[in-house]
Amino acid sequence: MSNNILVINSGSSSIKFSLFDMSSEAERASGLAERLNTAEGEITIKSAEGKLNLKLEKSDYRSTLEVIINTLTEQGLMDTLPVAIGHRVVHGGEFFSDPVLVTADVIEKIKQCIPLAPLHNPAAVAGIEAMESLYPEIPQVTVFDTAFHQTLPPKAYLYGVPYELYEELGVRRYGMHGTSHQYVSSEAAKRLGLGEKHGILTAHLGNGCSCSAVVNGKCVDTTMGMTPLEGLLMGTRSGDVDPGLHQFLHDQKGWSIEEITNVLNKKSGLLGISGVSNDMRSVEAAAEEGNERAQLALDVFHFRLARQLGGLAACLPQLDALVFTGGIGENSRSTRALIINTMKILGIELDEELNKTNGNELGVISKGNGPKAIVVNTAEELMIARAAQALI
Ligand code: AMP
């Protein structure tokens, strides 16, 4: 019997998807539908058979998901409908600390979290509802980016603002990239044979970046907050700024709250400082060629990363491992080397040769008897597929 699970990540104008054959956990196909709800909607599907590009006649969520499923079938990538659909949902608020099967109540709760993730959660709801109307017989599972961080204690998740704002509106830190932090920390513990008692720092460094402190498999603190804007410098996001900056920019530039939020989300970070790109490869290449602003962007990126990792280390009873993941963590040797070599306080000894090859067969890039540094490729989609399989 077929054992395919389709994993879907619905964004405001795009849908990413991966099809897994869960008998072997092999990814049969992956793809991206872009420019949804416009006349230019299109889909790209990649598989062992090659790459396929399709223009969409209708690019609303429902029509797009139907085309995705039909195309995967026509291309022989699945012989029957998937046994389950797994959805990535950014914000589960305080409702969800584990993946769940979709019910009317679950959809209602995801909707209640929309004020906390106004760009992401409506898209997730649209994706779930479209799937439900198309294929009511297929069970759907939601996996929340915030779920792994629900173990944060109040001292880590409360902001220093009136407590009533937490009670009335849920103003607190939630953290994101939870599926990735959970996967790479458990994978590192397993590969390094750390046993049940361990202290791990995880650095998920992609276009979005966040770090977490994990003690005995549970997250105790993380750098993202109520929204994915808090914490580290990212591709286009500023990370931490003085909360007084909003008033200052409003007074000096006449910008509205929306304009300021847009600048902090879309025009800041590596892009904002370097003026070159939000893409680490391009910023590293420009710095290499002597572009001073690109070098400055790298300096700020690394300095803030080190400072946040140092802060998170304070939450650990002991440090056993530092895990790098995400496009930058998995590939940027210079980022890993800089962090390990400058953060002597962590007591990790870099193995330059292993770092050059992105780690040995386990991903380890350190040597000696101290804490280990390890590269673990993140597998968020596979984690969602596994969660879906476990629930059906
Ligand atoms: P992600 O969001 O996880 O796909 O990561 C995207 C980020 O990873 C971008 O900033 C890329 O430039 C960065 N990245 C991917 N490959 C490399 C590489 N070889 N060296 C440095 N950065 C990389």
Side-chain angles (χ1 to χ4, degrees), residues 23 43 45 60 127-128 197 210 237 243 302 351 388:
S23 354
I43 299 187
I45 300 184
D60 58 283
I128 295 166
K197 289 216 175 302
S210 66
R237 282 174 251 167
H302 295 133
D351 185 315

Side-chain angles (χ1 to χ4, degrees), residues 376-387:
V376 178
N377 292 358
T378 195
E380 287 167 288
E381 284 79 16
L382 177 60
M383 284 288 279
I384 296 172
R386 280 184 187 165

